[in-house]
Amino acid sequence: MFKRLRSARQETSCYAGISLHHDGARGALLRALPGDGVRIEALAEARGGDTRGEQIAAVLRDLGARRRTPLTVVLDRGDYALLQIEPPELPPEELTEALRWRIRDMVDFPVDEAVIDQFELPPSQRAGSPRLSCVVAAPPQRLDEIAMAANGTESRAIDIPEMALRDLVMHAQDDHPHAWLYLAPRMALIEILTGDRIWLSRQIELTAGLFQGGEPAAQDMDDLLLEVQRSLDYYQSLYATGPVDSLQVLGMSPAVEAAFVLSAAVYLSVPVARFELDRIEGLDGHDEQQQRQSLLAMGAALREMPCAA
C-alpha cells in the first residue's frame, strides 16, 4: 500500500513477509519456484518484546533472511486508519494534501505529518452513485520504527492487512466477484475481490470469546454471521452487480474457521468453504496452527514475488 522505502528490486528467489499483531509478529520466508510455484522456506514468530523494532529484528533473524531478501511488513490494525470517502476531483499532485484535510476529523492522531495513500474502488453500475476511494493514513513514528528495524534488508515496503489478504488469495481469483473472510483475535476482515480489484473491504470487531478456545459461543458466532451478511448486502446495494459467487474463510485459528463454515452453511445464502493453501509447497514441515497464524505474513511475502502478479 505505502510506497517502497527503497525502490530498487534485486534479482532474488526468496521473499520475506512480516505481519504485526497485538501480541507480537509473525514472519514467512517464501521461495519462488520455476513457473508460478511457491515454497515455504521458514516461518517464525516473536511474542512480547519492548518494541515493534525488536520483534521485527527477532523474526528476521529466525527466518534466516539475508541482506538482499526483499521484505514487506504488514501493519497491525491499530497502526493505521482506513477510511472510505468520496475523493475530490483534483490533479494527482494536489490529491494527497486534499485527502489529508478531508480526514483530519476522522482519525485520532494528528494528520499534518501522517503518511497518506489511497486506492480507488471500482465504479458502481447504479446510476448516480458517487466515486469512492479508500484512504490509508498512518502516524510516521510507527513507520519510521519499522523502517529502522528492516534496515538490514535490501528492499523494504510497508503494507496493510487488506492488501496482504488480497495478495495471498489473488491466484485463486477469476473474473467473478468472490468474498474472503479473514478471522483473527479482536478483528475479522471481509473483502470482495475480482483479481486484484477490491470492491469492498471492511473490518469487523470481534468479541474475545471467539478465540478463547473450545467451541465459540453461539451468540458470538451469530453476531459475526450477521455482520458478514450485512457486508454482502451492502456490496449488492452499492454496486448493483448481483451476489458474490462464493465466500472463502481463512484465519489464525483452524477451529474458529471450521465452526464458522458449519454455521455459515446454514445461515448464509452463498457457498462457503475454507480456503486452502494448495498453491504453496512445503506445508508439511509446519503444523496447521503455525501456518494459519502466518497467513498475512505469506501474503506480504507474495507482494514482491513476480509469480504473484
Side-chain angles (χ1 to χ4, degrees):
M1 185 67 228
F2 295 110
K3 294 180 180 179
R4 290 192 187 93
L5 302 178
R6 186 177 299 168
S7 59
R9 171 178 280 181
Q10 302 291 331
E11 291 298 325
T12 182
S13 60
C14 284
Y15 300 80
I18 294 177
S19 58
L20 303 178
H21 304 269
H22 73 281
D23 61 348
R26 276 87 178 178
L29 185 67
L30 304 184
R31 181 179 296 276
L33 302 177
D36 62 352
V38 179
R39 183 175 70 228
I40 293 179
E41 293 293 300
L43 298 177
E45 69 173 347
R47 294 182 178 271
D50 293 335
T51 66
R52 286 298 200 193
E54 291 175 349
Q55 294 169 358
I56 292 171
V59 169
L60 285 173
R61 181 180 63 250
D62 292 346
L63 288 176
R66 298 184 177 182
R67 180 173 179 81
R68 297 181 65 180
T69 301
L71 169 67
T72 298
V73 178
V74 177
L75 298 174
D76 186 24
R77 67 170 189 149
D79 295 335
Y80 68 100
L82 179 65
L83 307 162
Q84 182 174 295
I85 67 167
E86 296 182 31
E89 297 288 346
L90 291 172
E93 63 271 16
E94 300 178 18
L95 185 58
T96 297
E97 289 308 311
L99 293 175
R100 192 186 308 277
W101 178 263
R102 177 73 63 86
I103 68 169
R104 63 188 311 111
D105 296 326
M106 303 169 67
V107 298
D108 58 1
F109 53 84
V111 299
D112 292 341
E113 301 298 327
V115 180
I116 305 289
D117 208 338
Q118 65 97 29
F119 60 92
E120 292 189 5
L121 299 178
S124 173
Q125 295 186 18
R126 190 176 300 280
S129 295
R131 186 167 62 95
L132 297 174
S133 288
C134 286
V135 178
V136 186
Q141 297 84 357
R142 178 54 54 84
L143 304 188
D144 291 343
E145 181 183 9
I146 293 171
M148 290 182 63
N151 194 42
T153 59
E154 184 64 33
S155 176
R156 303 185 302 277
I158 297 176
D159 220 332
I160 58 175
E162 288 79 0
M163 294 298 179
L165 175 59
R166 181 203 63 179
D167 292 339
L168 178 68
V169 305
M170 194 185 306
H171 73 282
Q173 296 290 325
D174 54 28
D175 293 334
H176 300 277
H178 296 269
W180 305 84
L181 180 67
Y182 174 76
L183 299 170
R186 304 184 180 183
M187 181 270 289
L189 172 61
I190 184 169
E191 289 194 330
I192 297 177
L193 308 170
T194 303
D196 64 351
R197 302 182 76 188
I198 297 177
W199 296 81
L200 177 143
S201 183
R202 180 188 174 214
Q203 292 186 2
I204 302 170
E205 296 285 340
L206 295 182
T207 59
L210 274 175
F211 280 81
Q212 287 183 343
E215 188 73 17
Q219 186 60 55
D220 294 337
M221 188 60 68
D222 288 347
D223 291 344
L224 175 57
L225 286 164
L226 177 60
E227 292 302 321
V228 170
Q229 185 61 60
R230 285 175 174 169
S231 299
L232 298 175
D233 292 343
Y234 174 74
Y235 161 77
Q236 287 188 250
S237 173
L238 178 63
Y239 291 106
T241 57
V244 299
D245 279 18
S246 69
L247 169 66
Q248 294 204 44
V249 184
L250 62 164
M252 299 183 73
S253 168
V256 175
E257 288 180 45
F260 180 87
V261 170
L262 286 175
S263 298
V266 176
Y267 292 103
L268 299 183
S269 58
V270 298
V272 181
R274 185 171 182 262
F275 176 68
E276 301 295 343
L277 292 168
D278 50 9
R279 176 194 183 187
I280 299 178
E281 299 181 14
L283 296 174
D284 293 343
H286 307 276
D287 65 60
E288 186 180 33
Q289 184 73 19
Q290 188 180 27
Q291 294 173 27
R292 306 311 275 192
Q293 291 189 347
S294 304
L295 290 172
L296 291 185
M298 294 182 202
L302 286 168
R303 166 186 161 136
E304 297 293 310
M305 196 174 289
C307 64

